[in-house]
């Protein structure tokens, strides 16, 4: 019914307008249902991950006491007799993460400060894509680079007074490669935080006669601190979860040591080496893999929650 | 255009014959340019509002509005900013539904039907009651597709080219764009874009056109063109216009409602209330309420 | 200080600390020392970002140099072989293409659908919306190897039992990159001004019609960019594929969703692990090919966005 029907009828014949829905629009309701189902998929995925990790782990801890797992120092689940002390591979992961942060944190924060406070627009247009490309390099390339470039170079320049240099595999080689890999994370997130610092704060310091270096280090960096810390947490989480680089460069020998030149095995490397697809469901090896994966998942989840809180905090301060 | 000027001259003559009211105050509007609002008893009501109150969550926006809007008139809502004029007009086509915290109480009848009844579909309502917004909002499409969007969605029958041309003529835009219907609507000037939005609105042949400060983002010349357009449009449509420009209300409307802001004791909440609603001529020359008089004579607001 | 009157907001605190620092600096340093300090500082910063640049250059350069002898058409046409002279990326390329075809098929409806649902059909306060958002954020941070384990437990075996096939690999990678697509699609949809949606609905269009005919067309360049970014991420991933039958990666060209699979990064990974020096050359060449593909895709995505982005 067109409105012209109402207009034409005049005051005498008041035709009632039809205000109910012209059709039940089932098609639309179906589509909206499908949209909701798509959104549910992410919830389902998380549930699936948790379930797939929990079920074998629970069975695992039925056979292996948690204390032996978490605090044992002997990791040999595929040996006979198998030992399940996870500390060596946890320490391996943490050692690599430490060396990677040692490299990436100063480089990343300094790069962020440079881009945020010093870089000319032309400079930015050059360096930002560099960081983006670096972020897009596949991890197998980083692993290969560590194996065939970093390790030989390290061996070449290793100063004698530090003792033996690294062998084919070492925590340091893996750590440096991962460090390069995570520099973009620290640099871009920190730079976002620094850009969010209001210009008024900088101008106030400049007005007092401060130099640029003072403004950058005493005003901008502290102001962006929670964002910077968030970036470091995010980068650590990424380093902890990295597989290919550690697999190719750090070795596959569980080794409870913090010595960077020794080969170690990270948790991810253990999972990748052991879960090669022909392991049978239900075997102790299978369950071990998932127990380690659960530990890995919890570690990264914790760090992720932490970094979200930090990001929220630095946003709240300025908005 | 000349047709319209003739109409105005005849009205002007009528008003000059009426005796001036005693103690007439100086109003910043040219006397005699009012439109003869019809005698209420013979007019058909389009909207009947009874104690309409709107709040967003806990904050009231407008309270206890009771008035009737009549067919084929231009009804203006005026008042200072914050008095809820936009909130009120958006009740009439259920656009407030799009705000999750909005709550509307009271009775709102449209041609005798409850607009907020349980079975009422807001989508149907908006097909009959169209809206033009403060800032022109053409779609990022060609001029033709902008106009054709509504009729296509509604499945209107007929030749689309004809529908588009009729709408553009009705909005006094046809001559300016007829050679570039395929060009992007964003290339038009502000005033043209707003007339495009009006054309888009009338293409679906609504019953009522709501205008929420349609000229406030435009220059005076475009404003004048749109005001002239309104005089044409009211032959076919009933128009409700919100404006903060009193002179505009005086120029174009038949009936005017004046809303005022009220504050509660803590001065935290503010909302709007109808102070006076009458024929435009009366509101601007001889208002009953002193607050109305203060506002229209420019003493406040 | 009472609660009512507290002028020391966080901004003020930082401003005060900065001012103190600046003043202390001025009062104690002589101007010349300042200039030197400033230059040294700036140089250090520039050095840092140059190190990142050099790192990238070394990576690409080293691979280019090492892989140069094998960077020719044979690399792309040879299939898998245990003899380095006959080995090439052909099966890997076919495998990657098959896997990515299905990933695209999956991520577009699911990713865009989720984005539309979150942006248009839920309010910011709804608990549903927040739960989904939190889930997406957490999924984005899960290590990629765990997605591989998920694929092993639920897709290859378990309820779906699809075996070690192309489709399994596609589903696993879809779940991995879904958060990227959702994030980018949401931003693209959000950038459509509310006034356009209001204008459409005021004409009597339903929300779905408005989404289909106004919002999506305008958001398509942004969404396309997001899809391309997601695919380039998926192409480079090795770890999630390892638990999906590393022992059974095929040497022939994959032929369909149900066939066994292999992929570019997997073949490269295999080559890296081989002892023969010739395979190292192949690995380097393979990495260059992979990098070239990724850079091409990302550049295309950026060009696409710049060319077709709707400016409001």
């Amino acid at each position: 019914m067109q409105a012209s029907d109402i207009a034409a009828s005049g005051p005498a014949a008041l035709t009632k307008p039809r205000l109910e829905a012209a059709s039940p629009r089932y098609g639309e309701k179906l589509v909206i249902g499908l949209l909701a189902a798509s959104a549910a998929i992410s919830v389902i995925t998380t549930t699936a991950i948790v379930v797939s990790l929990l079920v074998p782990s629970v069975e695992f801890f039925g056979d292996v006491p948690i204390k032996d797992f978490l605090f044992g120092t002997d990791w040999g689940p595929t040996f006979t007799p198998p030992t399940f002390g996870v500390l060596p591979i946890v320490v391996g992961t943490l050692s690599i993460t430490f060396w990677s942060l040692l490299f990436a944190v100063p480089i990343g924060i300094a790069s962020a400060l440079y881009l945020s406070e010093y870089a000319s627009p032309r400079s930015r247009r050059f360096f930002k894509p560099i960081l983006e490309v670096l972020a897009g390099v596949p991890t197998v390339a980083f692993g290969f680079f560590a194996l065939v470039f970093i390790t030989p170079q390290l061996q070449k320049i290793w100063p004698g007074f530090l003792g033996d240099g690294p062998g084919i595999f070492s925590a340091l080689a893996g750590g440096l490669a991962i460090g390069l890999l995570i520099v973009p994370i620290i640099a871009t997130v920190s730079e976002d935080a620094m850009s969010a610092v209001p210009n008024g704060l900088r101008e106030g310091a400049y007005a007092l006669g401060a130099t640029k270096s003072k403004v950058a280090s005493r005003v901008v960096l502290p102001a962006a601190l929670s964002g910077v810390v968030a970036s470091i947490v995010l980068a650590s989480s990424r380093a902890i979860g990295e597989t290919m680089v550690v697999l190719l460069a750090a070795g596959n020998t569980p080794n409870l040591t913090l010595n960077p030149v020794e080969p170690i095995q990270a948790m991810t490397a253990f999972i990748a080496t052991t879960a090669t697809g022909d392991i049978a469901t239900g075997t102790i090896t299978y369950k071990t893999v998932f127990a380690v994966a659960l530990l890995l998942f919890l570690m990264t989840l914790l760090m992720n929650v932490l970094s979200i809180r930090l990001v929220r905090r630095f946003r709240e301060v300025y908005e | 255009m000349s047709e319209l000027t003739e109409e105005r001259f005849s009205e002007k003559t009528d008003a000059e014959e009426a005796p001036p009211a005693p103690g007439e105050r100086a109003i910043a509007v040219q006397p005699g340019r009012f439109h003869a609002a019809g005698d209420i008893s013979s007019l058909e009501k389009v909207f009947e509002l009874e104690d309409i109150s709107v709040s967003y969550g806990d904050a009231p926006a407008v309270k206890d509005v009771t008035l009737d809007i009549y067919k084929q008139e231009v009804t203006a809502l005026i008042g200072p900013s914050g008095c809820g004029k936009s909130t009120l007009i958006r009740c009439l086509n259920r656009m407030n539904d799009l705000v999750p915290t909005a709550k509307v109480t009271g009775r709102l009848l449209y041609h005798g039907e409850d607009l907020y009844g349980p079975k009422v579909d807001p989508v149907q309502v908006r097909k009959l009651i169209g809206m033009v917004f403060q800032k022109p909002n053409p779609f990022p499409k060609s001029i033709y597709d902008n106009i054709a969007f509504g009729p296509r969605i509604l499945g209107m029958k007929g030749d689309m080219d004809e529908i588009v041309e009729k709408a553009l003529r009705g909005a006094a835009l046809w001559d300016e764009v007829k050679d570039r219907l395929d060009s992007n609507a964003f290339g038009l000037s502000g005033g043209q874009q707003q007339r495009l939005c009006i054309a888009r609105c009338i293409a679906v042949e609504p019953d009522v056109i709501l205008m929420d400060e349609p000229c406030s983002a435009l220059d005076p010349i475009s404003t004048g063109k749109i005001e002239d357009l309104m005089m044409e449009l009211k032959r076919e449509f009933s128009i409700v216009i919100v404006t903060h420009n009193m002179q505009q209300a005086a120029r174009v409307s038949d009936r005017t409602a004046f809303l005022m802001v009220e504050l509660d004791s803590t001065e935290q909440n503010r909302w709007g209330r109808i102070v006076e609603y009458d024929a435009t001529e009366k509101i601007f020359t001889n208002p009953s309420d002193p607050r109305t008089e203060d506002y229209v004579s420019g003493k406040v607001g | 200080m009472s609660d009512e009157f507290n002028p020391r907001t966080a901004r003020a605190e930082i401003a005060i600390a900065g001012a103190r620092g600046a003043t202390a600096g001025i009062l104690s340093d002589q101007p010349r020392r300042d200039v030197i300090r400033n230059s040294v500082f700036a140089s250090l910063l520039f050095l840092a970002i140059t190190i990142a640049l050099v790192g990238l250059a070394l990576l690409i350069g080293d691979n280019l140099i090492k892989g140069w002898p094998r960077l020719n058409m044979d690399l792309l046409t040879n299939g898998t072989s245990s003899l380095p002279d006959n080995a090439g990326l052909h099966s890997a390329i076919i495998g990657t293409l098959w896997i990515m075809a299905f990933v695209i098929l999956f991520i577009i409806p699911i990713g865009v659908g989720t984005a539309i649902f979150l942006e248009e059909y839920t309010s910011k306060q709804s608990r549903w919306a927040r739960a989904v958002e939190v889930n997406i954020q957490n999924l984005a941070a899960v290590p990629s190897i765990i997605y591989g384990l998920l694929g092993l437990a639920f897709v290859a075996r378990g309820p779906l039992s699809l075996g070690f096939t192309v489709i399994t690999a596609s589903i696993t990678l879809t779940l991995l990159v879904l958060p990227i697509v959702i994030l980018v699609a949401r931003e693209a949809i959000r950038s459509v001004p509310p006034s356009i949606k209001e204008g459409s609905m005021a004409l009597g269009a339903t929300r779905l019609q408005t989404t289909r005919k106004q919002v999506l067309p305008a958001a398509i360049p942004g969404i396309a960019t997001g899809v391309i970014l997601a695919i380039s991420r998926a192409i480079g991933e090795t770890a999630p594929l390892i638990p999906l039958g590393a022992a059974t990666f095929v040497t022939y060209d994959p032929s369909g969703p149900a066939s066994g699979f292999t992929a570019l990064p997997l073949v490269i990974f295999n080559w890296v692990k081989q002892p023969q020096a010739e395979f190292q050359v192949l690995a380097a060449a393979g990495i260059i090919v992979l990098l070239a593909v990724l850079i091409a895709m990302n550049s295309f995505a950026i060009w696409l966005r710049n060319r077709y982005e709707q400016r409001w």
Side-chain angles (χ1 to χ4, degrees):
Chain A
M1 164 192 223
Q2 302 285 25
S4 44
D5 296 319
I6 303 176
S9 30
L14 277 173
T15 14
K16 296 235 172 239
R18 195 148 135 256
L19 296 177
E20 285 116 30
S23 66
R25 296 202 283 263
Y26 290 131
E28 285 210 1
K29 296 199 176 110
L30 179 66
V31 172
I32 297 176
L34 287 175
L35 294 179
S38 318
I41 288 192
S42 51
V43 179
I44 294 176
T45 308
T46 308
T47 318
I49 290 181
V50 170
V51 167
S52 69
L53 293 178
L54 267 183
V55 169
S57 301
V58 162
E59 289 177 17
F60 176 81
F61 289 119
D63 295 336
V64 177
I66 289 197
K67 265 210 311 188
D68 291 357
F69 179 71
L70 286 180
F71 301 114
T73 57
D74 213 346
W75 182 252
T78 47
F79 298 160
T80 28
T83 52
F84 298 102
V86 83
L87 272 184
I89 57 175
V90 171
V91 167
T93 299
L94 293 178
S95 168
I96 290 196
T97 307
F98 171 75
W99 295 109
S100 72
L101 288 177
L102 199 63
F103 177 79
V105 168
I107 304 264
I109 296 183
S111 303
L113 268 178
Y114 173 75
L115 286 173
S116 157
E117 305 299 310
Y118 283 86
S120 67
R122 233 183 60 190
S123 223
R124 292 194 91 216
R125 270 201 301 267
F126 176 70
F127 279 113
K128 282 214 96 171
I130 300 277
L131 285 177
E132 282 177 24
V133 172
L134 199 52
V137 173
T139 52
V140 67
F142 275 108
F144 184 61
F145 182 62
L147 191 62
V148 302
F149 184 86
I150 296 185
T151 303
Q153 294 300 320
L154 276 180
Q155 289 167 335
K156 232 193 279 182
I157 66 175
W158 195 256
F161 66 86
L162 281 177
D164 278 340
I168 302 181
F169 300 119
S170 65
L172 186 58
L176 286 176
I178 295 187
L180 189 60
L181 193 156
I182 61 176
V183 161
I185 298 179
I186 298 184
T188 34
V189 177
S190 296
E191 202 240 327
D192 277 349
M194 290 168 190
S195 313
V197 173
N199 260 333
L201 288 177
R202 293 184 181 84
E203 284 161 8
Y206 281 129
L208 286 169
T211 59
K212 210 170 198 181
S213 60
K214 282 272 181 317
V215 170
S217 53
R218 304 277 199 113
V219 177
V220 176
L221 190 53
L225 196 61
S226 53
V228 170
V229 173
S231 78
I232 296 178
V233 173
L234 266 172
S236 315
S237 170
R238 180 79 175 79
I240 290 178
E242 174 48 44
T243 309
M244 301 315 295
V245 177
V246 295
L247 198 51
L248 290 172
N252 243 330
T253 337
N255 191 355
L256 186 58
T257 176
L258 289 174
N259 188 345
V261 302
E262 291 187 39
I264 48 90
Q265 185 181 53
M267 293 159 67
T268 47
F270 167 73
I271 296 175
T273 325
T274 320
T276 49
D278 48 359
I279 57 168
T281 320
T283 59
I284 188 68
T285 318
Y286 183 89
K287 297 181 201 170
T288 313
V289 165
F290 279 82
V292 173
L294 179 65
L295 183 60
L296 181 68
F297 176 71
L298 289 174
M299 286 168 74
T300 51
L301 186 68
L302 192 69
M303 310 205 82
N304 188 47
V305 168
L306 186 62
S307 85
I308 291 180
R309 290 255 174 89
L310 286 167
V311 168
R312 209 178 291 157
R313 204 147 62 97
F314 96 70
R315 290 228 175 102
E316 278 169 359
V317 171
Y318 294 118
E319 287 171 16
Chain B
M1 278 310 168
S2 53
E3 245 184 328
L4 296 169
T5 336
E6 266 181 56
E7 259 185 5
R8 289 201 183 146
F9 272 114
S10 57
E11 284 173 336
K12 186 174 179 176
T13 331
D14 286 342
E16 274 173 357
E17 288 176 5
E24 202 174 297
R25 301 97 181 162
I27 310 291
V29 179
Q30 197 181 344
R33 294 187 96 241
F34 300 119
H35 307 272
D39 175 23
I40 291 187
S41 57
S42 69
L43 289 179
E44 185 184 334
K45 293 182 197 173
V46 174
F47 288 108
E48 292 164 77
L49 282 72
E50 228 174 283
D51 293 322
I52 293 288
S53 301
V54 186
S55 57
Y56 295 112
D58 291 328
V62 97
K63 280 195 186 176
D64 302 329
V65 172
T66 301
L67 53 81
D68 297 328
I69 295 179
Y70 300 98
K71 196 166 127 167
Q72 281 171 291
E73 284 194 344
V74 176
T75 309
L77 304 178
I78 64 171
S81 65
C83 69
K85 317 186 285 287
S86 286
T87 306
L88 186 58
I89 202 177
R90 292 166 80 102
C91 291
L92 300 179
N93 66 347
R94 302 213 32 185
M95 285 299 274
N96 278 330
D97 287 16
L98 301 181
V99 180
T101 55
K103 229 170 35 137
V104 178
T105 56
R107 225 158 77 104
L108 214 174
L109 299 185
Y110 170 67
H111 288 293
E113 294 286 309
D114 184 1
L115 204 63
Y116 285 79
K119 284 206 182 167
V120 171
D121 180 21
V123 169
Q124 285 295 115
V125 169
R126 296 179 198 130
K127 291 179 189 179
L128 296 169
I129 304 171
M131 188 171 232
V132 175
F133 296 85
Q134 184 171 349
K135 193 163 165 298
N137 57 356
F139 303 134
K141 299 176 192 279
S142 68
I143 294 174
Y144 188 94
D145 287 331
N146 259 274
I147 311 283
F149 177 73
R152 280 184 187 138
I153 291 259
L154 270 50
M156 269 170 68
K157 306 278 184 273
D159 179 29
M160 193 54 70
D161 289 350
E162 278 178 23
I163 294 177
V164 170
E165 182 177 335
K166 180 172 165 213
L168 284 170
R169 282 193 191 279
L173 192 59
W174 174 252
D175 288 324
E176 288 169 59
V177 302
K178 65 178 183 241
D179 296 324
R180 45 175 174 143
L181 291 177
D182 283 332
S183 64
N184 194 300
F186 280 21
L188 296 173
S189 73
Q192 288 172 322
Q193 284 185 5
Q194 192 64 303
R195 276 181 281 150
L196 178 70
C197 293
I198 294 176
R200 190 174 70 185
C201 177
I202 64 181
V204 299
E205 295 178 8
D207 175 40
V208 179
I209 300 180
L210 306 176
M211 298 192 172
D212 190 352
E213 303 205 31
C215 302
S216 62
L218 304 177
D219 62 273
I221 296 183
S222 308
T223 302
K225 287 190 186 166
I226 291 189
E227 288 181 8
D228 292 335
L229 190 54
M230 274 188 238
M231 297 297 99
E232 285 288 321
L233 290 173
K234 84 167 186 184
R235 293 194 202 162
E236 247 189 277
F237 311 101
S238 314
I239 301 182
V240 182
I241 171 171
V242 165
T243 177
H244 64 264
N245 182 338
M246 287 185 286
Q247 286 86 348
Q248 180 174 80
R251 281 193 291 268
V252 307
S253 67
D254 299 300
R255 223 168 289 277
T256 301
F258 169 59
L259 289 93
M260 196 62 200
V261 180
E262 257 181 29
L263 299 159
D264 70 0
S265 49
T266 65
E267 303 216 355
Q268 295 282 50
N269 291 324
R270 31 190 315 142
W271 62 86
R273 233 184 241 288
I274 295 261
V275 170
E276 197 174 335
Y277 176 55
D278 213 327
T280 300
E281 181 169 356
K282 179 133 195 307
I283 293 277
F284 282 94
T285 55
N286 189 13
S288 315
D289 195 300
R291 291 173 290 176
T292 315
E293 198 217 317
D294 285 342
Y295 183 75
V296 302
S297 63
K299 287 202 197 123
V300 294
Chain C
M1 227 170 247
S2 67
D3 280 332
E4 256 185 52
F5 180 64
N6 187 358
R8 300 274 269 238
T9 59
R11 288 174 75 134
E13 294 277 2
I14 292 172
I16 291 169
R20 275 215 188 101
T23 313
I26 297 155
L27 293 178
S28 63
D29 288 341
Q30 289 151 14
R32 199 185 314 158
R33 248 199 268 164
D34 260 352
V35 172
I36 296 178
R37 204 171 288 221
N38 203 31
S39 316
V40 168
F41 190 77
S43 314
L44 282 177
L45 294 188
F46 185 72
L47 179 66
I49 200 166
T50 315
I51 291 181
L53 169 64
V54 165
L56 179 64
L58 282 176
L59 193 153
I60 298 181
D62 189 58
N63 277 310
L64 206 52
I65 295 174
K66 289 200 165 80
W68 187 255
R70 293 303 296 267
L71 271 177
N72 49 38
M73 279 315 288
D74 281 347
L75 183 66
L76 301 177
T77 52
N78 284 351
T80 326
S81 166
S82 50
L83 297 174
D85 286 342
N86 300 344
L89 292 172
H90 193 246
S91 314
I93 294 177
I94 302 286
T96 294
L97 285 175
W98 267 111
I99 296 177
M100 291 309 143
F102 283 101
V103 171
I104 294 180
L105 202 61
F106 293 147
I107 55 171
I108 292 183
I110 303 178
V112 178
T114 305
I116 294 177
F117 184 73
L118 288 175
E119 289 297 313
E120 299 289 324
Y121 287 94
T122 59
S123 74
K124 302 299 161 207
Q125 290 84 8
S126 97
R127 264 199 276 159
W128 237 139
R130 293 244 226 102
V132 174
E133 278 183 12
V134 165
N135 265 301
I136 295 174
Q137 274 180 327
N138 284 325
L139 285 177
V142 171
S144 53
I145 185 115
I146 292 188
Y147 279 97
L149 291 179
L150 173 69
L152 173 67
F154 273 166
V155 184
R157 301 176 182 166
L160 290 180
S161 278
L162 293 170
F164 296 133
T165 56
V166 163
I167 198 78
T168 304
S170 300
I171 294 178
T172 305
L173 287 176
T174 298
L175 295 177
L176 177 71
V177 300
L178 206 48
I180 301 178
V181 179
I182 295 176
L183 179 77
V184 177
R186 284 189 78 179
E187 276 177 22
I189 290 175
R190 220 179 284 159
S191 72
V192 178
S195 57
I196 299 291
K197 298 188 241 185
E198 274 199 327
S200 171
M201 298 194 67
L203 285 171
T206 62
R207 206 178 259 290
L208 194 64
Q209 284 170 323
T210 302
T211 305
R212 251 179 58 215
K213 308 215 171 199
Q214 298 290 352
V215 177
L216 275 184
I220 280 185
I223 294 178
T225 307
V227 170
I228 296 178
L229 287 176
I231 297 291
S232 40
R233 170 82 194 276
I235 288 184
E237 284 285 341
T238 330
L241 299 178
I242 292 180
L244 298 181
T248 60
F249 294 144
V250 298
T251 52
Y252 50 83
D253 289 355
S255 54
S259 112
F261 72 94
T262 181
L264 266 173
L266 280 176
V267 168
I268 296 175
F269 174 57
N270 260 331
W271 285 346
V272 174
K273 287 195 295 185
Q274 302 302 325
Q276 297 101 314
E278 189 60 21
F279 273 116
Q280 306 290 301
V281 177
L282 276 170
I287 288 177
I288 293 292
V289 169
L290 190 53
L291 282 176
V293 168
L294 292 176
I295 292 183
M297 290 189 75
N298 280 329
S299 310
F300 177 63
I302 294 176
W303 171 85
L304 193 69
R305 188 185 59 200
N306 288 339
R307 173 95 163 72
Y308 289 102
E309 194 176 34
Q310 181 69 51
R311 268 158 256 269
W312 298 100

